[in-house]
Amino acid sequence: MSVTPEPVVVSPPRAGGPTVFIAVEQGFGARFFLRTDILPTLVAGGCRMVVLTPNADEPYIREELATRGATVEPLRAAREVVQRSRPWWLVHNLRTFALGHPERSRNFLDYYGTFKAQVAADHPAVARAIDLALRPLWRSRRLRLGLLRTEARLFPPDLHADLFERYRPDLVVASSPGWFLPDALILREAAKRGVATAAVVLAWDNPTNKGYRGADPDHAVVWSDRMAEQLARHHDYPRERIEVGGVPQFDPYLRDDVLPSREELFASLRLDPGRRLVLFATRSPATYPHSPAVARALAEAVAEDRLGQPAQLVVRLHPVSFRPGYDVPLDDYRALEQRFEQVHLDVPTVVSQRLRSDMPASESTKLGALIRHCDVLVNVFSTTTLEGMIVDRPVVLVAPDAHRAGASPGAPGEAPAATRQFAEYEHTRELVERGAARVAHSLPQLVEEVREYLEHPERDRAARLETAARECGPLDGRSGRRIGEQLLAMVGVAPARAPE
């Protein structure tokens, strides 16, 4: 499956070349745009690159991007600009929750249910009024588009007017068509000035769980045909303006000699090369706070030789776990590592919280190597599922109530332990229904599924490889370059080619 793509030829921007703004409002966006082939492809095409981030004054980001031929400027849009205005708050939330065909997306309905409960706790009449107003919006494409245009027309703050005047960009690129407020505002500012705009969709679940788009970019790039259908269906975005680009941060899995070898990884983390590796990638504690219980169940199974063969466990903490306000029980994980010889805790390095949970490129490389060289991947319905499937690694998904003693699927009289039913979410439902991964509804079942995969890694292989192709789009190792070339085409630049 590994391929060796053409190298990106990086050279200084040519005089008079186009100027491109890239809005990066979170750390995962930095990984997506700045630490893949997207940025060097644009630089190689002669573009003057200006990256807008909320932490533009932090030395590490300025130094990193200076070496890559980009300038850093502040991204100023924050949620407070909406919350300071009651009329804008109302219009903003009506538009956000006016998703087309909401009945198709359980994850969106969970998102809306949480919002409605929060508003109803203090303002029940407001919650009821919003709910009533949304009913016709859910049914009418015309009303949704009208509300989108109304919000953009009534609330167009010029937060970056000085940057537009100074750099006069030819193209503004964001990581969404306005699901994230900073993206929505910068795209609206650009449109008002007649500047071309593009949305390159950042994450697997965004089209189905972030609410209705907040801007109307000229062009959208998505992972796959399946994601293109979701963008058209839920967001009334014209299909003819959508291109498929693939997933740039997954390119290293598909290239030769990019990720460390198994020997190099095991030596760097002091793992036992004679034991099989089970990797547990935890989920954000905001959506699943029970990861320590899952880690403990796996650690005990390893220590008691209940996995059928000698094994070891690496628990990889989610970088979002270290955001201010989250109470992550690191002591629980440390205690497991100290108690069990074959348990290893991998704590990612987070270099910024202003650029939310940003990590150095080395962290992506380490995670990629862990996924490529593990024997079974365990997670709680995260995007690492697709990363494992790309490299043909069996995946066990932990159901949200699996931590409960005696939990089982469909047990009579049992209330759900969580409002989020991840297996029913639109972006994950098909892979579960097609048997691409196994779902553990209890901790004993989790141990059994891991044991079965260790003994029979070929189980479900065809389904997981088909799922990777369907969800991720082109698997040729050149998605970053492809997306960069698609953006260059928007400013009339032919991509630079490698020398013969």
Side-chain angles (χ1 to χ4, degrees):
M1 182 177 289
S2 296
V3 296
T4 304
E6 299 173 357
V8 175
V9 181
V10 180
S11 58
R14 69 175 185 269
T19 297
V20 178
F21 280 8
I22 297 184
V24 176
E25 64 97 28
Q26 57 174 290
F28 294 113
R31 177 192 180 195
F32 185 92
F33 282 118
L34 309 182
R35 298 172 187 131
T36 65
D37 283 342
I38 294 177
L39 180 61
T41 298
L42 292 169
V43 172
C47 295
R48 177 172 64 162
M49 299 304 305
V50 182
V51 177
L52 279 62
T53 75
N55 66 331
D57 59 344
E58 291 187 342
Y60 87 91
I61 193 75
R62 300 185 72 86
E63 293 168 4
E64 176 184 350
L65 290 181
T67 66
R68 301 187 183 195
T71 300
V72 187
E73 293 287 357
L75 182 65
R76 302 185 180 115
R79 193 164 186 82
E80 288 73 21
V81 301
V82 171
Q83 294 171 332
R84 286 195 294 263
S85 165
R86 288 187 179 181
W88 192 357
W89 178 90
L90 178 61
V91 174
H92 169 81
N93 284 294
L94 280 174
R95 187 264 305 160
T96 296
F97 293 106
L99 196 74
H101 299 281
E103 74 286 349
R104 297 280 297 270
S105 180
R106 173 64 185 265
N107 36 339
F108 168 76
L109 293 176
D110 280 354
Y111 176 36
Y112 173 57
T114 299
F115 166 79
K116 185 166 67 171
Q118 290 171 344
V119 176
D122 296 319
H123 305 285
V126 174
R128 286 194 297 270
I130 290 175
D131 196 60
L132 288 173
L134 285 173
R135 304 296 158 164
L137 285 164
W138 286 343
R139 294 191 295 268
S140 172
R141 178 178 183 273
R142 179 180 296 179
L143 288 178
R144 291 190 296 271
L145 291 173
L147 183 59
L148 173 64
R149 288 190 291 268
T150 297
E151 183 186 2
R153 185 174 64 253
L154 293 180
F155 307 104
D158 278 339
L159 301 177
H160 305 92
D162 59 324
L163 300 181
F164 277 94
E165 289 298 321
R166 186 189 317 161
Y167 291 101
R168 300 192 178 277
D170 300 279
L171 175 65
V172 172
V173 182
S175 59
S176 77
W179 299 316
F180 309 116
L181 181 64
D183 288 348
L185 297 184
I186 194 76
L187 290 172
R188 291 179 200 170
E189 286 188 79
K192 186 174 70 173
R193 290 171 169 79
V195 178
T197 53
V200 185
V201 176
L202 175 66
W204 184 26
D205 61 349
N206 285 177
T208 60
N209 81 343
K210 292 300 182 186
Y212 196 71
R213 60 189 171 101
D216 188 28
D218 298 312
H219 187 77
V221 181
V222 297
W223 290 18
S224 64
D225 286 325
R226 176 165 151 76
M227 187 177 283
E229 293 168 2
Q230 294 168 347
L231 188 60
R233 177 195 313 127
H234 292 302
H235 301 276
D236 307 312
Y237 195 86
R239 183 62 180 85
E240 64 273 14
R241 286 160 51 190
I242 305 174
E243 286 192 73
V244 170
V247 192
Q249 67 267 34
F250 294 174
D251 284 348
Y253 292 112
L254 301 158
R255 296 181 179 178
D256 296 322
D257 303 323
V258 174
L259 296 176
S261 68
R262 185 178 190 273
E263 292 74 19
E264 291 169 332
L265 173 72
F266 277 44
S268 67
L269 298 182
R270 298 182 180 179
L271 302 177
D272 185 345
R275 287 178 173 266
R276 309 293 288 279
L277 174 59
V278 177
L279 173 63
F280 174 37
T282 70
R283 191 180 178 99
S284 163
T287 57
Y288 187 76
H290 309 292
S291 290
V294 175
R296 184 167 56 253
L298 291 169
E300 291 172 350
V302 167
E304 297 166 9
D305 290 328
R306 287 188 280 121
L307 296 181
Q309 49 200 294
Q312 58 199 322
L313 172 69
V314 170
V315 180
R316 165 77 178 189
L317 296 188
H318 196 292
V320 172
S321 302
F322 303 98
R323 287 177 59 185
Y326 285 175
D327 184 20
V328 178
L330 273 181
D331 289 346
D332 293 351
Y333 294 114
R334 297 288 188 199
L336 288 177
E337 188 176 40
Q338 293 169 5
R339 178 183 170 192
F340 299 109
E341 181 183 0
Q342 299 302 334
V343 174
H344 310 269
L345 180 63
D346 185 49
V347 179
T349 299
V350 176
V351 293
S352 178
Q353 289 298 353
R354 289 169 59 198
L355 183 58
R356 194 166 66 243
S357 305
D358 190 25
M359 298 182 296
S362 58
E363 286 295 338
S364 297
T365 300
K366 180 172 60 172
L367 176 60
L370 280 167
I371 291 174
R372 168 172 270 183
H373 300 304
C374 74
D375 294 283
V376 177
L377 170 63
V378 176
N379 67 50
V380 189
F381 290 83
S382 81
T383 304
T384 59
T385 297
L386 298 181
E387 297 176 67
M389 290 179 176
I390 287 172
V391 291
D392 191 22
R393 293 296 172 262
V395 181
V396 182
L397 304 171
V398 181
D401 59 353
H403 62 283
R404 302 174 65 215
S408 60
E414 284 197 350
T419 58
R420 295 177 172 89
Q421 298 301 318
F422 300 129
E424 298 176 18
Y425 282 8
E426 185 174 354
H427 66 293
T428 56
R429 186 172 59 239
E430 282 197 15
L431 73 87
V432 172
E433 291 174 348
R434 297 181 185 213
R438 300 299 171 109
V439 180
H441 295 274
S442 69
L443 297 181
Q445 185 184 4
L446 168 63
V447 172
E448 177 62 20
E449 295 291 359
V450 171
R451 187 186 68 79
E452 285 291 325
Y453 269 141
L454 286 175
E455 291 189 6
H456 303 287
E458 75 284 354
R459 187 177 65 156
D460 306 322
R461 172 169 291 153
R464 61 177 170 261
L465 293 178
E466 187 276 334
T467 291
R470 185 180 70 253
E471 300 292 340
C472 300
L475 294 175
D476 56 4
R478 64 183 309 275
S479 293
R481 176 156 189 160
R482 179 182 302 105
I483 293 170
E485 291 173 353
Q486 290 165 338
L487 297 175
L488 286 173
M490 291 192 67
V491 290
V493 174
R497 292 295 175 186
E500 296 294 336

